[in-house]
Amino acid sequence: MSHKPHLQCDDCGRSMLKAQRRYKGSAYCSTCYAREFKKKTCTKCGESVRAHKYEENPVCGECLRLHRVCARCDKPLPRAGYLIGHAAFCKSCAPHGREEHTCSRCGCLSSRYSRITNGELSEIICQACERKACAFVTCSVCRKYRQLHQYDVEGRAVCRDCSGPYPKTHSCPDCGADTPGGGNAPCQDCSLKRRLDRRIMLNLELFEASWCRALFLEFCSWERLPRQAGNMTTRIDSYARFLVILERNTLSVRDIDQQHLFNLFGAEKLRRSFHVVNFLVEKLGIEWDNEEKEQAIENKRINDILQCYEKQPWHREVVDYAKELSERVTYKETPIKPLTVRNYLRAAIELLMSAKVSSIQELPEEAIVSHAKKKPGHCASLAVFRTFAKDKYAVNLVLPEKKNKGISNKQHVKKIKAVMEKLVSTPNEREAKALMPAAISMLYQLPLKKVLMLRCAHVVQSSRKVFITVDDERYELLGPLPHLMKVDQLGIDPEAFIFAGRSRMQPMSTGTVRYHVKKLEAQIGM
């Protein structure tokens, strides 16, 4: 209910702090109220009521509110938002019944206004100015939602308790640490711990098996699990969903191994949930073979490719080609890697699609030459398909002439020099970690994949010299490489990867290294 402020009685003129009664726009002090308002009987309920001595039909407050409606929208109104004489308005319609006033700050006329009292001063301000004057923000010091007091020199919002030369502090109720702001709230670390504990107990109800409940609790208290504010509670939910799926599809904890995890979640889900996977490997002693994992991933990708083209007329022929590739051996009498099989298979399928034929036997002699003009990178992969087509379908396909467009020795030296200079100067640890295997690969002409597979056991330090062993051959690291390798900081586990990825069970990917190398090439204009 809103009224004009009255500093004096409208009947006797004496000053007063608060009106005892308001009647038809006039305010009465306690003395005039006793004189002008007499005890009468309510004309509706018969109860006693104090009414003005000239009121002919007095009505008590309860009867007045019982049958009162808004003067604008006719909504029942047990509690009025604004009164003008005997007319009452609800809270929504109150601005329409008010007269307009000028805002003391912006000078605008508005019927939506408020009165702010500061000491003995009272001013009328509009809603826009009120929001600015009484804005509530999250304090940058105590992290509480408080009324804005000021901005610091860096432009950050500060509440009243945290401003001034001696801001308020209090002891954390959990750990006793000195915490900014007043009140009794915990510090940020203890607040995060409380939220995580509540989230953990909430997710614990999802598990039915006792072994999985114990596994989840042990994982949440794992010392290598990073705990930081932000999305930590969401990550706890994600970890719980991972373990719930594992529980629903596993009879016992003894059934959990690498193949079981891969069949349940696939490569991408295991990559995203590397914290849980690392914990399971460490806790359950799972033997994790990266080569076996990569083969399983590539075999799944090959099956997905074959299923994608199962409606093509040459699908049966491509399946036979994939089967033959998996049975082929290299010159070292070892099977072809599934990644190579997938690349060969993809090149053959794209050749058949571009030629628009229904069988390998319909391929023209110059099919590979025409296809190589659009995708020259498929030439080497299609050489094996040419042999397969000739032996099984008596189709003679011509390969395009080889053109040596390799990188010149001068460009190679420039690239190595740029990588070494960046490796020494960069303050970014991630970039340095990615450029290190690239430098070793280019300097010693070693395959990048084999450099990334180096483990701590492959590094030897002898009389201030550092050696690495690749394919039973030893290479001495020269220049700044021994210092950058930080041999003294390598893990004590001889089977740990030197260039480990986010999941320490597998090495850094070649894509990560090539990304940083290409980024450097763009900077130097190569």
Side-chain angles (χ1 to χ4, degrees), residues 68-306:
R68 186 169 58 186
V69 294
C70 176
R72 183 172 181 266
C73 65
D74 295 331
K75 184 172 68 175
L77 203 62
R79 183 176 179 84
Y82 191 68
L83 287 174
I84 302 178
H86 288 290
F89 295 86
C90 64
K91 192 173 182 179
S92 301
C93 298
H96 299 279
R98 291 175 176 175
E99 58 181 284
E100 292 186 340
H101 282 272
T102 303
C103 176
S104 61
R105 299 195 178 185
C106 66
C108 296
L109 279 173
S110 176
S111 61
R112 299 177 181 271
Y113 55 85
S114 300
R115 293 183 186 273
I116 292 183
T117 303
N118 186 9
E120 296 182 355
L121 299 178
S122 178
E123 57 178 339
I124 297 176
I125 62 172
C126 62
Q127 281 188 350
C129 294
E130 182 188 14
R131 283 193 291 267
K132 294 178 183 177
C134 305
F136 280 74
V137 295
T138 300
C139 176
S140 60
V141 179
C142 64
R143 309 304 302 169
K144 296 178 183 176
Y145 193 68
R146 295 288 184 266
Q147 186 174 357
L148 174 65
H149 179 66
Q150 65 180 24
Y151 290 98
D152 61 10
V153 292
E154 298 181 1
R156 297 176 301 183
V158 182
C159 68
R160 183 179 296 276
D161 288 347
C162 298
S163 60
Y166 304 104
K168 288 184 178 180
T169 60
H170 68 279
S171 297
C172 173
D174 293 349
C175 66
D178 198 25
T179 307
N184 195 37
C187 63
Q188 291 190 24
D189 293 340
C190 294
S191 178
L192 176 62
K193 184 178 181 302
R194 287 185 181 185
R195 292 200 305 271
L196 293 185
D197 290 343
R198 289 194 297 267
R199 206 70 174 192
I200 290 169
M201 297 309 296
L202 184 66
N203 283 289
L204 196 62
E205 301 303 320
L206 298 174
F207 299 97
E208 298 177 359
S210 58
W211 64 267
C212 203
R213 292 169 67 94
L215 204 62
F216 176 66
L217 288 175
E218 193 168 349
F219 168 71
C220 293
S221 60
W222 189 38
E223 59 181 8
R224 285 170 51 190
L225 178 65
R227 293 167 178 81
Q228 54 191 8
N231 64 342
M232 189 60 196
T233 52
T234 306
R235 285 166 50 200
I236 290 292
D237 294 343
S238 176
Y239 300 148
R241 288 194 296 269
F242 183 95
L243 292 175
V244 165
I245 296 174
L246 182 63
E247 179 198 36
R248 299 291 189 271
N249 297 275
T250 309
L251 295 177
S252 170
V253 69
R254 293 186 295 271
D255 298 334
I256 302 175
D257 56 15
Q258 181 178 356
Q259 188 62 39
H260 182 64
L261 292 174
F262 182 79
N263 293 338
L264 274 180
F265 302 102
E268 183 62 20
K269 182 65 175 177
L270 291 178
R271 184 188 68 81
R272 292 183 179 182
S273 307
F274 64 93
H275 284 308
V276 191
V277 176
N278 287 348
F279 168 76
L280 293 175
V281 171
E282 180 181 307
K283 173 66 178 176
L284 305 179
I286 299 175
E287 295 183 2
W288 197 268
D289 189 346
N290 287 297
E291 292 185 2
E292 180 183 344
K293 176 189 172 185
E294 289 184 3
Q295 289 181 5
I297 292 172
E298 293 300 334
N299 289 331
K300 183 177 183 303
R301 289 173 178 171
I302 291 172
N303 292 331
D304 292 342
I305 291 173
L306 294 175

Side-chain angles (χ1 to χ4, degrees), residues 4-9 14-22 27-30 119-120:
K4 295 181 181 180
H6 283 81
L7 301 179
Q8 62 182 13
C9 177
R14 286 181 293 188
S15 61
M16 59 180 179
L17 295 177
K18 185 179 179 181
Q20 180 72 21
R21 178 72 179 268
R22 287 182 173 85
Y28 295 86
C29 63
S30 57
E120 296 182 355

Side-chain angles (χ1 to χ4, degrees), residues 41 106-107 258 274 286 297 356 397 423 430 436 500:
T41 302
C106 66
Q258 181 178 356
F274 64 93
I286 299 175
I297 292 172
K356 298 180 180 179
L397 300 175
L423 184 59
R430 290 187 177 182
M436 185 72 175

Side-chain angles (χ1 to χ4, degrees), residues 389-521:
K390 182 178 180 180
D391 294 344
K392 191 162 185 178
Y393 298 97
V395 176
N396 292 316
L397 300 175
V398 179
L399 290 174
E401 297 181 1
K402 293 184 179 180
K403 296 180 181 180
N404 187 11
K405 292 185 179 180
I407 186 171
S408 66
N409 188 45
K410 186 176 180 180
Q411 287 179 313
H412 186 67
V413 172
K414 180 182 177 182
K415 186 176 179 180
I416 294 177
K417 185 178 179 181
V419 170
M420 293 297 293
E421 290 177 352
K422 188 68 174 179
L423 184 59
V424 174
S425 62
T426 180
N428 190 332
E429 293 185 3
R430 290 187 177 182
E431 187 177 29
K433 186 179 178 181
L435 291 177
M436 185 72 175
I440 296 174
S441 174
M442 289 186 286
L443 277 173
Y444 300 98
Q445 299 294 305
L446 295 171
L448 179 59
K449 190 73 174 178
K450 291 186 177 181
V451 176
L452 292 173
M453 294 296 292
L454 285 173
R455 301 178 185 267
C456 294
H458 298 146
V459 181
V460 178
Q461 188 175 18
S462 175
S463 63
R464 297 185 180 180
K465 294 182 179 181
V466 178
F467 300 90
I468 60 172
T469 304
V470 180
D471 287 342
D472 297 329
E473 293 188 18
R474 179 174 287 191
Y475 301 87
E476 180 185 355
L477 298 183
L478 303 175
L481 293 179
H483 172 70
L484 296 172
M485 179 68 79
K486 299 179 181 178
V487 178
D488 297 336
Q489 299 181 15
L490 294 179
I492 59 175
D493 183 7
E495 294 300 319
F497 289 104
I498 298 175
F499 308 108
R502 289 199 304 170
S503 174
R504 292 188 292 179
M505 298 180 303
Q506 58 188 21
M508 185 187 302
S509 66
T510 55
T512 302
V513 177
R514 287 170 183 153
Y515 165 77
H516 288 281
V517 173
K518 288 183 179 180
K519 182 180 176 181
L520 180 60
E521 290 176 352

Side-chain angles (χ1 to χ4, degrees), residues 9-42:
C9 177
D10 291 331
D11 191 59
C12 65
R14 286 181 293 188
S15 61
M16 59 180 179
L17 295 177
K18 185 179 179 181
Q20 180 72 21
R21 178 72 179 268
R22 287 182 173 85
Y23 178 71
K24 293 186 178 180
S26 299
Y28 295 86
C29 63
S30 57
T31 303
C32 296
Y33 169 72
R35 184 180 67 250
E36 298 295 330
F37 291 83
K38 306 298 182 180
K39 287 187 177 182
K40 296 186 177 183
T41 302
C42 176

